[in-house]
């Protein structure tokens, strides 16, 4: 038994807890990558965007993967802002305001958006217009993207950020060394609490983010059926 385990009897339990929390973090991150790629696919297919899909890089650290998904989220935000700018440039002020009027019928908004896309692209489907309206009118999506980007940045900047993705499957001591690095084993409780805090925020923001994306992608699936 390690000396630190004799000095700190709760350490073995905390070690297992730390590894479990790390796996939860990776699982949550993987789900966010998948959800982001779903939205990227919709934007590329229906709105003519050219955003490159992403994947979790097992050879990279948590921080590097956080930065990767943040970059794509920024591109998504940029595309939504571009759609808004196009609508504002091509429409009369009264029609532009209708796009954001919650009392305006959805079909009317889609028709307005389709008219603008026809000018820009030469032709436009109702699905493209529907996606655009959903993105423009979804403060929920905009806020959840911003929130998740903030949480990802915090995780990347924390002690968690330097941990490699590929530690699962290694021996217990190697996993702990990879997670803790230079942190003393006597500070296991501090590390566990840090993981718990970041993971709780990450999971809450991720659930809202994934739900907001599902609202868009499910509408597209219904439309094309």
């Amino acid at each position: 038994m390690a000396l630190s385990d004799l000095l700190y009897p709760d350490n073995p339990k905390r070690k297992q807890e730390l590894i479990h929390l790390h796996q939860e973090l990776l699982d949550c991150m993987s789900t966010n990558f998948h959800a982001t790629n779903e939205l990227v696919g919709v934007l590329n297919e229906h709105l003519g965007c050219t955003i490159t899909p992403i994947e979790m890089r097992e050879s990279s650290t948590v921080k590097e993967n956080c930065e990767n998904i943040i970059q794509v989220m920024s591109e998504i935000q940029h595309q939504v802002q571009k759609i808004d700018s196009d609508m504002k440039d091509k429409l009369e002020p009264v029609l532009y305001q209708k796009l954001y009027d919650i009392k305006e019928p959805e079909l009317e908004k889609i028709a307005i958006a389709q008219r603008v896309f026809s000018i820009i692209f030469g032709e436009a489907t109702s699905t493209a217009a529907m996606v655009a309206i959903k993105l423009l009118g979804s403060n929920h999506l905009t806020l959840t993207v911003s929130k998740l980007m903030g949480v990802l940045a915090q995780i990347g900047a924390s002690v968690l950020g330097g941990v490699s993705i590929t530690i699962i499957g290694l021996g217990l001591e190697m996993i702990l060394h990879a997670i803790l690095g230079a942190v003393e084993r006597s500070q296991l409780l501090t590390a566990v609490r840090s993981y718990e805090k970041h993971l709780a925020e990450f999971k809450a923001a991720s659930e809202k983010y994934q739900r907001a994306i599902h609202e868009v992608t499910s509408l597209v699936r219904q439309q094309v059926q």
Side-chain angles (χ1 to χ4, degrees):
M1 180 181 290
L3 177 60
S4 60
D5 290 349
L6 289 172
L7 296 174
Y8 304 94
D10 287 338
N11 266 7
K13 178 182 176 182
R14 289 172 185 163
K15 289 176 180 178
Q16 293 291 350
E17 187 177 358
L18 190 60
I19 293 168
H20 176 71
L21 288 168
H22 184 74
Q23 185 59 61
E24 275 197 75
L25 177 73
L26 298 187
D27 290 344
C28 192
M29 185 174 289
S30 177
T31 305
N32 283 328
F33 270 72
H34 177 73
T36 301
N37 281 336
E38 275 199 294
L39 183 56
V40 165
V42 169
L43 294 175
N44 288 348
E45 181 178 354
H46 297 287
L47 297 182
C49 300
T50 56
I51 304 173
T52 303
I54 51 175
E55 60 179 330
M56 278 183 67
R57 297 172 183 167
E58 294 188 351
S59 60
S60 300
T61 62
V62 170
K63 179 181 180 180
E64 289 166 341
N65 277 284
C66 284
E67 290 172 345
N68 191 16
I69 194 170
I70 286 173
Q71 181 179 353
V72 175
M73 287 178 171
S74 296
E75 290 185 51
I76 291 171
Q77 286 185 320
H78 173 73
Q79 291 299 329
V80 174
Q81 290 166 359
K82 184 177 181 302
I83 292 170
D84 177 72
S85 295
D86 288 339
M87 295 295 170
K88 197 169 187 177
D89 290 342
K90 304 294 183 184
L91 291 171
E92 296 177 3
V94 174
L95 291 177
Y96 175 74
Q97 290 300 323
K98 282 187 175 184
L99 297 178
Y100 292 95
D101 188 347
I102 59 174
K103 297 179 181 178
E104 197 68 29
E106 192 82 357
L107 289 176
E108 177 64 21
K109 294 180 182 181
I110 291 173
I112 294 171
Q114 191 168 359
R115 194 182 317 164
V116 173
F117 283 148
S118 295
I119 296 172
I120 297 172
F121 300 116
E123 61 177 350
T125 65
S126 59
T127 302
M130 182 194 66
V131 171
I133 293 303
K134 189 64 180 177
L135 292 173
L136 291 176
S138 180
N139 285 330
H140 182 48
L141 179 60
T142 303
L143 292 173
T144 53
V145 169
S146 297
K147 174 64 176 177
L148 187 55
M149 286 174 67
V151 174
L152 285 165
Q154 290 174 15
I155 290 174
S158 73
V159 67
L160 284 61
V163 181
S164 173
I165 293 295
T166 55
I167 68 168
I168 301 304
L170 300 176
L172 176 61
E173 289 303 313
M174 291 180 69
I175 292 174
L176 290 167
H177 178 73
I179 293 177
L180 295 173
V183 178
E184 293 293 330
R185 300 298 172 84
S186 60
Q187 293 180 310
L188 263 173
L189 180 59
T190 302
V192 168
R193 293 293 173 262
S194 176
Y195 258 77
E196 287 177 336
K197 175 181 179 295
H198 287 295
L199 187 59
E201 294 176 352
F202 187 38
K203 288 174 74 172
S206 296
E207 287 172 5
K208 292 178 181 178
Y209 173 69
Q210 292 159 20
R211 194 157 50 242
I213 288 178
H214 179 71
E215 289 178 8
V216 176
T217 56
S218 61
L219 280 175
V220 172
R221 282 193 289 268
Q222 293 172 17
Q223 184 79 3
V224 298
Q225 285 178 352

